[in-house]
Amino acid sequence: MHGRVLIAMLLAALIATPAFADRYVISVLILVFYFAYVGQAWNLMMGFTGQLSLGHSLYVGLGAYVAAGLWLHAGIGPWLGVFAAIAVAAAVGSVTGWLSWRFGIEGVYFALLTIAFAEFTRIGFDHIDMLGAAGGLFLPVNAEEAGQWWNLRGGPLLFYYLALALVAGATLAVAWLRRSRLGYQWVAVREDSEAARALGVDVFRAKMIAMLISSGMTAVGGVFYAFYHRNLFPGQVFEMGRSIELILAPIVGGLGTVFGPIIGAFILTPLGEALIAATERSGFNAPGTKAVFYGAALIAIIYLVPSGVWPWIARRLGFSEHRQ
Amino acid sequence: MTTALLTVTDVSKRFRGLTAVDRISFEVAPGEIFAVIGPNGAGKTTLFNMIAGVIACDEGAISFDGARIERERPDRIAWRGVGRTFQIVRPFPALSVEDNVMVGALLRSHHLDAALEITHAVLRQLDLFDKRLHLASTLTLPDRKRLEVARALATQPKLLLLDEVMAGLRPTETDRMVGILKEINRTSGVTILLIEHVMRAVMALASRILVLHHGARIAEGAPNEVVRDPAVITSYLGAEAL
Ligand SMILES: Nc1ncnc2c1ncn2[C@@H]1O[C@H](COP(=O)(O)OP(=O)(O)O)[C@@H](O)[C@H]1O
Ligand SMILES: [Mg+2]
């Protein structure tokens, strides 16, 4: 059980970090937590259930817009708005899942459909005037709201601890789900859906539940995103690049593992930040420089540890339960 | 025989022009070991897949445990108590042997502890307990064949459909499997419907045999009657008996 001790120590260190870290480190860690969190949500679909969604920015965006819209137009705070955000994203997620899996759309075709849904939604939001349309939606920063943490108005520390709580909660939930009846059904569907069916697994139902949980969880990340950044543009939040961005951490960290998304986010986000800093300092600021180095690093990592960094670390630490 | 566990009535399946299964009828009594034999392409697997709900039959009816199942989904049929193996084994490769069997055990027991207990019992029956933490992808063929049986058995079926679980096994492995299946049938009373090529195993296990050829029934009866049937000898056993 030295694994649990290690996790507890890591968590304690992260809780203590703001005491000695500067604003920049805090802001990078907030990003790390954000990507670890949405990575956990996406990993339920791809890593556990084997369903490749390339349109998860859809649920981030819906969560963000629903909560921001409710706040701006109805004065409903994010703590309540988050439930509406989850409901809307889960509803759209289940429509996507139903339309594909009821009609036998699988694999890459499913992935294409998820992209299409995100794109349609982006175009739609470009024309919703109430939500700022293509010109963007802004959450004003009023002086009298300052310090209203319950309305997600606060400094970096508020968002730091909120994001940390989201990751910790998501990780606990995912670890529990993996070892639940549903979790076993998910991995069975991923490994061989016909064999799963022969063992009594309702494959459609298992996938739909994965979709509901994943899209709902992702929407919570969207609410966080909206109130942290306080501006939303359809072209930014729903864009396909955003969907790709949020799947990298679980892929690099280890698909279908509980700690993969966290490890991946801890590697990729600081790497991206370091590359930005390095290109700025070197004065060599040609467009795409960061992307080239980032891509090269991704290739190197995936080449060196194809099944992800976490399984590799786990084997080194003797956590792996499987004998090869 | 109104007490049959499985009743197949005039079931047919055509693939384009080819009649893979041609108006087959038979009954399997509770607790019995019933074998279906026949040359390659006789329609045995197709018949199995219709019982398991993977393929819809063109005509006919299938009753299991008092209910009509010919229009039901495979997972519903599994839930009713039909466990099946695949002729070409389909383990969950990236999962451990134990987790493979857990998926089956969780069909009926919703609690992990109870499912793990069933899983361990089944793994012991199938001689896989010592390999329970190995990844399924690392198993040898005989082990994979036994894993197929273990997974199906963990669903606690009333009827076990075994599609050529002896194929590709050496004689000692075959005898081991025969022993295991006999023991399972004796202790838990599970009914077994067996497709098999290995006559040694069929003779040792089955109480009745149905012989298929080009989708049609050419004989049915007790093992020692069937092997003496002239039609069976010419169309199937001939080559092997010589
Ligand atoms: N999905 C399919 N599509 C077309 N033909 C099939 C299909 N499945 C089986 N067949 C044909 O049906 C016949 C019976 O096959 P099968 O049931 O697998 O035989 P067996 O298991 O007795 O060897 C064979 O001629 C086979 O080629
Ligand atoms: Mg066959």
Side-chain angles (χ1 to χ4, degrees):
Chain A
M1 286 286 94
H2 56 312
R4 290 223 174 127
V5 177
L6 212 67
I7 293 164
M9 275 163 55
L10 182 69
L11 193 60
L14 289 173
I15 290 171
T17 299
F20 43 83
D22 65 11
R23 268 190 93 106
Y24 174 70
V25 172
I26 295 295
S27 73
V28 173
L29 282 173
I30 290 173
L31 274 184
V32 169
F33 297 158
Y34 170 77
F35 281 113
Y37 174 81
V38 290
Q40 290 287 23
W42 179 82
N43 200 32
L44 286 184
M45 288 276 294
M46 179 61 195
F48 286 14
T49 320
Q51 305 302 307
L52 176 58
S53 164
L54 292 177
H56 254 48
S57 63
L58 171 59
Y59 310 116
V60 174
L62 286 175
Y65 268 104
V66 167
L70 284 175
W71 171 233
L72 277 180
H73 294 297
I76 296 171
W79 298 104
L80 260 178
V82 70
F83 293 104
I86 292 172
V88 169
V92 172
S94 57
V95 169
T96 314
W98 189 85
L99 280 177
S100 357
W101 299 321
R102 256 293 166 258
F103 301 98
I105 294 172
E106 307 277 344
V108 287
Y109 302 102
F110 172 72
L112 286 179
L113 202 74
T114 61
I115 296 173
F117 266 81
E119 280 298 293
F120 287 146
T121 311
R122 178 181 66 75
I123 294 165
F125 270 74
D126 271 342
H127 300 283
I128 303 179
D129 292 327
M130 223 180 110
L131 294 175
L137 185 67
F138 300 88
L139 292 181
V141 184
N142 302 327
E144 78 257 30
E145 286 166 15
Q148 289 186 358
W149 57 268
W150 58 94
N151 283 328
L152 290 189
R153 275 282 279 119
L157 281 190
L158 170 67
F159 289 98
Y160 178 88
Y161 284 113
L162 181 60
L164 180 58
L166 282 177
V167 184
T171 306
L172 276 177
V174 166
W176 180 80
L177 278 169
R178 169 63 189 89
R179 287 282 143 198
S180 71
R181 183 168 187 260
L182 187 60
Y184 276 97
Q185 296 188 337
W186 283 342
V187 291
V189 168
R190 176 193 75 196
E191 293 291 298
D192 187 330
S193 60
E194 199 182 324
R197 215 171 255 131
L199 298 173
V201 176
D202 185 338
V203 173
F204 176 73
R205 181 174 171 274
K207 288 184 194 170
M208 285 298 279
I209 296 175
M211 180 59 121
L212 280 173
I213 298 177
S214 180
S215 52
M217 265 178 82
T218 307
V220 177
V223 177
F224 179 89
Y225 181 99
F227 283 81
Y228 182 54
H229 295 288
R230 304 194 84 81
N231 60 68
L232 298 169
F233 299 90
Q236 267 178 22
V237 288
F238 291 110
E239 193 217 342
M240 196 186 159
R242 277 290 148 90
S243 292
I244 301 297
E245 189 176 63
L246 71 81
I247 77 179
L248 292 178
I251 292 176
V252 164
L255 277 176
T257 65
V258 174
F259 293 103
I262 301 175
I263 301 286
F266 265 102
I267 294 170
L268 292 178
T269 307
L271 176 71
E273 293 298 318
L275 285 173
I276 291 173
T279 44
E280 272 170 10
R281 198 164 320 133
S282 68
F284 182 66
N285 236 339
T289 313
K290 183 213 155 190
V292 168
F293 281 104
Y294 194 75
L298 272 183
I299 291 169
I301 295 170
I302 288 165
Y303 179 77
L304 288 172
V305 276
S307 58
V309 177
W310 170 248
W312 181 80
I313 296 175
R315 268 199 304 280
R316 294 291 129 126
L317 295 176
F319 288 163
S320 182
E321 54 185 271
H322 302 305
R323 263 172 254 142
Q324 303 296 319
Chain B
M1 266 223 300
T2 47
T3 53
L5 181 64
L6 177 75
T7 309
V8 175
T9 315
D10 284 329
V11 161
S12 298
K13 180 72 196 178
R14 278 173 295 275
F15 293 114
R16 298 175 198 275
L18 175 92
T19 305
V21 172
D22 191 6
R23 279 170 291 136
I24 293 297
S25 301
F26 65 94
E27 291 193 335
V28 181
E32 159 174 51
I33 301 184
F34 187 97
V36 178
I37 65 171
N40 264 328
K44 306 182 296 293
T45 298
T46 305
L47 178 63
F48 245 44
N49 281 333
M50 289 191 284
I51 298 170
V54 176
I55 295 179
C57 42
D58 296 332
E59 292 141 25
I62 303 173
S63 300
F64 174 74
D65 204 15
R68 292 283 289 268
I69 58 164
E70 72 269 10
R71 295 272 170 271
E72 284 205 9
R73 293 198 318 251
D75 52 294
R76 296 298 301 165
I77 292 174
W79 184 82
R80 284 186 182 279
V82 178
R84 62 91 45 99
T85 65
F86 291 90
Q87 178 176 356
I88 301 176
V89 293
R90 308 181 77 132
F92 304 126
L95 303 190
S96 67
V97 168
E98 185 173 274
D99 284 354
N100 264 267
V101 180
M102 276 294 274
V103 176
L106 283 164
L107 174 60
R108 267 173 242 290
S109 46
H110 291 225
H111 294 286
L112 285 199
D113 295 340
L116 195 63
E117 217 165 281
I118 295 168
T119 296
H120 283 177
V122 168
L123 287 175
R124 283 203 181 87
Q125 272 182 309
L126 272 300
D127 274 353
L128 284 168
F129 186 75
D130 294 339
K131 293 183 177 155
R132 67 188 182 282
L133 299 181
H134 291 232
L135 290 184
S137 58
T138 65
L139 294 185
T140 59
L141 183 70
D143 286 346
R144 284 178 198 221
K145 292 270 184 185
R146 291 207 311 288
L147 178 57
E148 283 283 313
V149 179
R151 225 169 40 173
L153 207 55
T155 66
Q156 298 177 290
K158 296 186 180 112
L159 174 68
L160 193 55
L161 302 178
L162 303 177
D163 194 348
E164 300 205 21
V165 286
M166 322 273 179
L169 300 190
R170 280 176 285 108
T172 50
E173 285 289 350
T174 303
D175 291 345
R176 185 183 186 188
M177 186 71 106
V178 167
I180 289 171
L181 294 179
K182 261 192 170 154
E183 183 65 15
I184 289 169
N185 175 255
R186 197 181 57 78
T187 53
S188 64
V190 63
T191 310
I192 298 178
L193 177 52
L194 181 80
I195 291 181
E196 204 46 72
H197 257 318
V198 182
M199 280 312 284
R200 216 158 100 92
V202 174
M203 298 305 285
L205 283 167
S207 55
R208 282 191 304 139
I209 300 178
L210 168 70
V211 190
L212 293 186
H213 189 48
H214 292 315
R217 170 165 88 177
I218 56 169
E220 186 186 334
N224 41 25
E225 291 165 26
V226 165
V227 291
R228 268 182 267 132
D229 190 305
V232 177
I233 294 172
T234 31
S235 65
Y236 178 50
L237 295 175
E240 285 178 28
L242 286 175

